[in-house]
């Protein structure tokens, strides 16, 4: 039986980021991914994600500045541009604009290379005529679209360049977890070949499959997996500038009476695919083992009607839906913790990608026996039922 230093289960954004950080520190790392890099069943696929600094919620807010810096570090190491500075705008009756500006400044997030500009709706519509704005508009030019597919490649290439090994099409079955390490069977999807290995440290970054992979070995809170359906719309004018965008509905406000509203809409331009728009966290529960990649036509209809009213720059009649999962802990916060030889990185819901290179650093710290952030531990009060 082969003895490994660190085995990472899952080659999505979080597993690859952890492998990169560990390999940089000279650790011997093997990543196994049951699919390919950016496979459609995982949550990290697609061309774009948003780096959205316009939310006032701790403790995730406190991770944003180091996450932005971690992206710059990964760009420098990989030679790829990952945060091209498309900009991001937030507006709507439910946007706590003053609070967001204050928190961005107090937390040290705004300043240096990450700004915050406050605009009126008329000025914003002059700059970005593809979007109809409501109320105060916040704009951060340096944030916005993350090149998600490039980020996965940057992480994988940088990890391999630093000595990590990544095996694709290999599924891990965790057989035993003891204080000194974990015993795992690795099965190749192509050949069916099985190999039993022993890892001193096991990092589980298995997204929607976390409970299936690990649930019988350590106590986990219930992780809710939901099928989310954002859509892409074609643009009328490819020459228009499109920042990423968030529209915070004011559900108590009479102007938000239409029944298509949900609390927060996010969107961005994805080159080659169109303008993406999605309601944040409205999907129905699903099971990754039996998932049929269903599209909820009601959600799609709500997005189409939203676009008719608020996105004059897109053809709302032509819509392509996407199916993607959120995996969410009971209190909505990430899980970044270690139990014996097992590091658990889970519950990234619809917010994880912007933090990925930083989560990799936290995952590597945990794998090396360091402490993790208390707010994201498995023993925090929010996970006690
Ligand atoms: C529609 C949508 C929009 C989003 N928008 C944003 C956004 O704008 N900004 C943002 O910051 N975040 C966003 N997110 C969230 C972000 O994409 C996710 O939080 C992040 O990608 C999760 O990464 P992960 O590595 O935890 O999971 P995954 O990418 O799912 O990776 C887990 C991997 O583990 C593999 N695996 C599982 N079990 C095994 C096993 N036993 N053996 C081998 N491999 C295994 C799976 O195949 C999978 O590839 C969005 C998510 C979705 C779905």
């Amino acid at each position: 039986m082969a003895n490994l230093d660190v085995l990472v289960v899952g080659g999505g954004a979080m597993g690859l980021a952890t492998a990169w950080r560990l390999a940089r520190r000279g650790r011997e790392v093997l990543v196994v991914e049951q699919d390919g890099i950016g496979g459609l069943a995982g949550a990290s696929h697609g061309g774009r994600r948003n780096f959205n600094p316009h939310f006032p919620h701790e403790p995730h807010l406190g991770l944003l500045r180091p996450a932005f810096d971690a992206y710059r570090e990964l760009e420098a190491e990989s030679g790829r541009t990952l945060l091209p500075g498309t900009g991001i705008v937030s507006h709507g009756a439910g946007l706590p604009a003053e609070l967001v500006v204050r928190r961005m400044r107090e937390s040290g997030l705004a300043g240096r290379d990450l700004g915050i500009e406050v605009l009126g709706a008329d000025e914003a519509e002059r700059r970005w005529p593809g979007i109809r704005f409501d109320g105060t508009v916040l704009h951060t030019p340096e944030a916005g679209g993350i090149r998600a597919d490039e980020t996965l490649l940057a992480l994988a290439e940088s990890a391999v360049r630093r000595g990590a090994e990544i095996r694709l099409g290999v599924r891990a079955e965790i057989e035993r977890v003891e204080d000194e390490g974990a015993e795992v069977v690795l099965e190749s999807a192509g050949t069916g070949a099985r190999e039993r290995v022993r890892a001193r440290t096991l990092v589980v970054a298995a997204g929607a499959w976390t409970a299936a992979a690990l649930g019988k070995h350590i106590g986990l809170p219930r992780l809710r997996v939901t099928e989310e359906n954002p859509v892409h719309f074609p643009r009328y004018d490819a020459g228009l500038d499109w920042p990423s965008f968030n529209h915070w509905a004011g559900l108590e406000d009479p102007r938000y009476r239409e029944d298509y509203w949900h609390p927060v809409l996010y969107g961005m331009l994805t080159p080659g695919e169109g303008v993406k728009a999605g309601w944040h966290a409205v999907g129905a529960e699903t099971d990754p083992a039996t998932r049929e990649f269903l599209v909820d036509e009601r959600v799609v209809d709500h997005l189409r009607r939203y676009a008719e009213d608020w996105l004059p720059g897109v053809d709302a009649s032509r819509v392509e839906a996407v199916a993607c999962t959120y995996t969410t802990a009971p209190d909505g916060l990430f899980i970044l913790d270690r139990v014996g030889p097992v590091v658990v990185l889970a519950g990234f819901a619809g917010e994880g990608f912007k933090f990925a290179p930083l989560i990799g650093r936290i995952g590597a710290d945990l794998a090396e026996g360091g402490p993790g952030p208390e707010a994201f531990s498995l023993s925090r009060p929010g996970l006690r039922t």
Side-chain angles (χ1 to χ4, degrees), residues 3-278:
N3 281 302
L4 305 175
D5 178 10
V6 186
L7 174 64
V8 178
V9 177
M14 307 310 168
L16 291 174
T18 306
W20 169 52
R21 294 290 188 178
L22 283 166
R24 258 163 72 120
R25 298 178 190 181
R27 300 297 297 262
E28 185 197 316
V29 189
L30 171 64
V31 181
V32 289
E33 164 54 52
Q34 63 191 0
D35 198 344
I37 302 283
L40 288 181
S44 302
H45 62 81
R48 286 287 185 279
R49 292 288 186 277
N50 272 339
F51 193 101
N52 169 24
H54 297 161
F55 60 87
H57 315 303
E58 290 291 4
H60 289 165
L61 181 65
L63 298 182
L64 267 180
R65 178 76 240 180
F68 189 77
D69 295 340
Y71 264 100
R72 293 293 185 226
E73 214 181 330
L74 179 60
E75 286 181 324
E77 172 144 348
S78 65
R80 291 176 185 266
T81 300
L82 307 174
L83 286 174
T86 61
I88 188 163
V89 288
S90 298
H91 66 111
L95 173 70
E98 278 178 29
L99 181 66
V100 171
V101 172
R102 197 172 68 240
R103 288 277 170 83
M104 277 186 74
R105 294 202 170 123
E106 282 169 4
S107 67
L109 178 58
R112 273 203 290 151
D113 47 358
L114 204 59
I116 178 110
E117 183 186 18
V118 182
L119 303 168
D122 291 348
E123 168 61 15
E125 281 172 14
R126 264 192 298 277
R127 289 197 202 176
W128 304 291
I131 303 175
R132 208 183 120 214
F133 289 93
D134 179 35
T136 301
V137 181
L138 302 182
H139 174 221
T140 295
E142 304 85 354
I146 305 168
R147 289 184 173 144
D149 44 4
E150 292 271 325
T151 300
L152 295 185
L153 290 178
L155 289 168
E157 283 170 2
S158 304
V160 168
R161 215 176 288 128
R162 297 276 188 168
E165 185 187 349
I166 301 175
R167 291 193 204 159
L168 303 179
V170 174
R171 191 174 158 277
E173 197 171 319
I174 302 165
E175 294 234 309
R176 192 169 309 138
V177 174
E178 291 162 348
D179 288 348
E180 318 75 57
E183 215 172 288
V184 182
V185 173
L186 306 181
E187 181 169 355
S188 159
T191 63
R194 285 164 69 87
E195 180 190 0
R196 187 176 295 272
V197 299
R198 194 168 178 79
R200 263 192 300 279
T201 304
L202 181 67
V203 176
V204 178
W209 296 264
T210 304
L214 202 52
K216 60 176 184 266
H217 301 290
I218 67 171
L220 288 174
R222 188 170 124 71
L223 292 168
R224 203 167 162 264
V225 179
T226 54
E227 187 83 75
E228 307 293 334
N229 293 134
V231 300
H232 288 106
F233 298 107
R235 290 171 288 170
Y236 285 123
D237 178 354
L240 285 188
D241 186 20
W242 276 91
S244 295
F245 49 96
N246 300 300
H247 192 153
W248 293 52
L251 295 177
E252 308 296 312
D253 188 310
R255 289 170 306 144
Y256 287 75
R257 248 193 324 252
E258 296 288 346
D259 65 359
Y260 59 67
W261 284 107
H262 299 269
V264 180
L265 178 124
Y266 69 91
M268 71 206 74
L269 175 64
T270 305
E273 293 184 86
V275 173
K276 183 175 176 180

Side-chain angles (χ1 to χ4, degrees), residues 292-307:
E292 290 181 76
F293 296 81
L294 295 176
V295 170
D296 184 338
E297 289 303 334
R298 197 172 142 268
V299 170
V300 173
D301 181 57
H302 289 176
L303 288 166
R304 188 186 296 119
R305 287 167 54 214
Y306 172 86

